[in-house]
Amino acid sequence: MLKRLSSNSNFSKGLWKILNQRNMSTSKLDASKLQVTRVSQKSQPKPNDQLVFGKTFTDHMLSIEWTMEKGWDAPVIKPYGPITLDPASCVFHYAFELFEGLKAYRTKDGKITMFRPDKNMERMNKSAARICLPTFDSDELIKLIGKLIEEDKHLVPEGQGYSLYIRPTMIGTTDGLGVGYPDRALLYVITSPVGPYYKTGFKAVKLLATDFATRAWPGGVGDKKLGANYAPCILPQLQAADKGYQQNLWLFGPEKNITEVGTMNVFFVFKDSKTGKKELVTAPLDGTILEGVTRDSVLSLARERLDPKEWEVNERYYTIYEVSERSKKGELVEAFGSGTAAVVSPIKEIGWQDEDIQVPLLPGEQSGELTKDVANWIAAIQYGKEVHGNWSRVVADVN
Ligand code: COI
């Protein structure tokens, strides 16, 4: 990762030296140094119907301290519990915080697997480099997360739609109010047994096309998973909720380009009424769009599995005006969001100015046809019914 930064002409030699020395001359993250302290009594799993997203946590957490002087300390797995920090810690004042979201699944053959953890680690390192927090060896953190899951494997829920949500987090812990780069950090990982992300369960959602606030902009950090990207979106989300919509559909610029949804990337399906050809479209990764792992999986599977005689799969700019016009022409076929937490979430309606754009669903169902297919393709891989390259990584045996 840091190699990529070195080739970026925006980084002078002096700046490069500061960023580089944090990783080169000090201890590397090393999973073999793990120390484990276990809870005295394991907790019992909750029934699936009592799981509220991100409200229940497992018995243990992973915690690793970093200092600029020494590098990464020995990783520790310990009972889940509060963190004590100085009130002047830079995380509280200047938002030195980033996180990831990935999931582990219980497969039919009694294994626990993680889905594409390498992609999350790659993105986590990019987020860390962007806010001057330390980077780390992805494989070492994947091994450590595997050990954490192994400790709490009895709490990984069973059944399609249920999984263990994994939340790696990194914060700057340098105390002092001067604004500068952190020389201390804490990387920790907590895990939470989960079902559907939305309170409405596995139902199609309503979005409010939002141009009264902006989530991300060119030259900003919209493609990084920083906590600071989320807090400013809550007020617009409440404004959307007040009008009866679950999430914002973020628009950008005078063109009103569609970018993404509150906690998901977004896809639309159009059908050209003259040629009959269908198009699956999502916004391009131009630095304002979160580089979603589910987004990438949807695009890969669609490009592999959809017949190119009937389909085009495009990453291109498109606007709310196009969606509105094509809906009027009967060319809007379906739409869905994709994300780790929300997986594949069908969309049924988009509020825009004075109209409510109705997104077609299959008769009597909560989803469009491609949305259903894509959700099934991904679930088959995640729940171990199908192997797709190295997308699933076994971390524990349940039996
Ligand atoms: C995810 O999908 O993992 C997210 O990070 C979305 C959200 C829960 C913040």
Side-chain angles (χ1 to χ4, degrees):
M1 173 59 221
L2 284 170
K3 270 202 188 109
R4 272 188 52 172
L5 287 180
S6 71
S7 62
N8 184 332
S9 55
N10 293 330
F11 288 85
S12 69
K13 269 195 186 149
L15 175 52
W16 169 238
K17 206 170 145 201
I18 292 171
L19 291 171
N20 215 13
Q21 90 187 44
R22 335 175 113 224
N23 288 66
M24 295 308 186
S25 53
T26 54
S27 298
K28 304 248 181 299
L29 180 59
D30 183 351
S32 69
K33 291 190 185 150
L34 176 66
Q35 297 159 9
V36 182
T37 309
R38 298 193 169 92
V39 291
S40 48
Q41 201 168 7
K42 288 183 173 190
S43 58
Q44 289 302 309
K46 274 189 178 171
N48 282 357
D49 63 1
Q50 282 176 29
L51 295 175
V52 178
F53 183 88
K55 287 289 184 193
T56 310
F57 294 94
T58 61
D59 294 339
H60 297 92
M61 64 189 283
L62 170 70
S63 174
I64 318 157
E65 289 187 10
W66 174 90
T67 62
M68 189 145 168
E69 196 191 353
K70 294 195 180 138
W72 290 103
D73 205 348
V76 173
I77 288 179
K78 59 185 183 180
Y80 182 96
I83 296 170
T84 304
L85 287 177
D86 191 293
S89 297
C90 61
V91 58
F92 299 133
H93 302 273
Y94 307 124
F96 284 97
E97 194 271 354
L98 61 97
F99 66 94
E100 270 305 319
L102 64 159
K103 280 177 173 170
Y105 301 84
R106 187 182 284 258
T107 65
K108 282 260 174 278
D109 57 350
K111 305 255 187 294
I112 309 286
T113 61
M114 275 196 271
F115 184 69
R116 307 190 75 186
D118 49 318
K119 297 290 286 177
N120 293 87
M121 296 301 107
E122 190 187 325
R123 190 172 64 183
M124 190 167 174
N125 268 315
K126 285 189 197 174
S127 301
R130 181 62 182 84
I131 57 169
C132 298
L133 284 173
T135 54
F136 55 86
D137 181 327
S138 296
D139 282 338
E140 295 302 299
L141 189 56
I142 294 173
K143 277 186 223 161
L144 288 163
I145 295 174
K147 300 268 184 214
L148 177 66
I149 295 170
E150 173 93 52
E151 290 299 327
D152 291 336
K153 61 187 181 187
H154 63 293
L155 299 174
V156 180
E158 200 170 346
Q160 189 155 328
Y162 296 86
S163 57
L164 186 72
Y165 186 76
I166 305 161
R167 174 51 67 88
T169 308
M170 202 193 303
I171 56 176
T173 53
T174 298
D175 48 359
L177 300 182
V179 182
Y181 59 84
D183 64 357
R184 305 181 72 83
L186 175 69
L187 192 170
Y188 64 89
V189 183
I190 53 177
T191 62
S192 170
V194 297
Y197 179 70
Y198 294 109
K199 288 197 184 79
T200 46
F202 299 107
K203 289 193 181 145
V205 293
K206 287 169 66 171
L207 308 178
L208 180 63
T210 301
D211 61 354
F212 54 85
T214 306
R215 190 198 83 91
W217 44 88
V221 290
D223 58 339
K224 307 293 184 297
K225 214 148 172 69
L226 308 183
N229 279 336
Y230 289 78
C233 293
I234 300 306
L235 184 60
Q237 189 180 313
L238 288 177
Q239 288 167 291
D242 197 39
K243 296 186 168 134
Y245 301 93
Q246 274 109 328
Q247 295 267 312
N248 303 89
L249 175 64
W250 294 107
L251 307 179
F252 182 76
E255 303 83 6
K256 316 274 181 220
N257 280 332
I258 291 183
T259 62
E260 59 183 78
V261 176
T263 54
M264 310 185 281
N265 295 114
V266 69
F267 289 83
F268 282 78
V269 177
F270 301 119
K271 182 173 183 174
D272 189 305
S273 43
K274 291 196 191 96
T275 63
K277 193 144 186 176
K278 284 184 271 185
E279 181 191 23
L280 175 65
V281 63
T282 193
L285 298 179
D286 63 357
T288 67
I289 303 291
L290 190 78
E291 298 179 5
V293 179
T294 314
R295 173 190 182 279
D296 184 80
S297 307
V298 170
L299 285 171
S300 301
L301 293 172
R303 287 182 174 131
E304 279 164 28
R305 298 180 182 189
L306 295 176
D307 181 353
K309 286 192 211 92
E310 287 173 38
W311 283 92
E312 269 185 37
V313 178
N314 289 329
E315 293 165 78
R316 68 164 173 89
Y317 291 110
Y318 62 110
T319 67
I320 189 71
Y321 299 117
E322 177 176 350
V323 170
S324 164
E325 276 159 27
R326 299 192 78 168
S327 158
K328 286 181 190 123
K329 287 196 322 200
E331 292 191 343
L332 172 60
V333 180
E334 56 191 290
F336 61 89
S338 72
T340 299
V343 201
V344 174
S345 282
I347 295 163
K348 64 177 176 189
E349 194 177 304
I350 298 165
W352 166 237
Q353 294 178 337
D354 292 330
E355 59 177 315
D356 268 327
I357 303 171
Q358 298 301 323
V359 184
L361 299 173
L362 290 168
E365 297 202 35
Q366 283 292 315
S367 166
E369 198 175 344
L370 183 70
T371 310
K372 208 166 146 178
D373 286 347
V374 166
N376 287 334
W377 293 342
I378 291 186
I381 300 166
Q382 289 174 332
Y383 290 91
K385 290 178 203 143
E386 206 182 294
V387 176
H388 191 282
N390 61 357
W391 282 10
S392 290
R393 192 178 292 219
V394 177
V395 287
D397 241 311
V398 196
N399 304 317

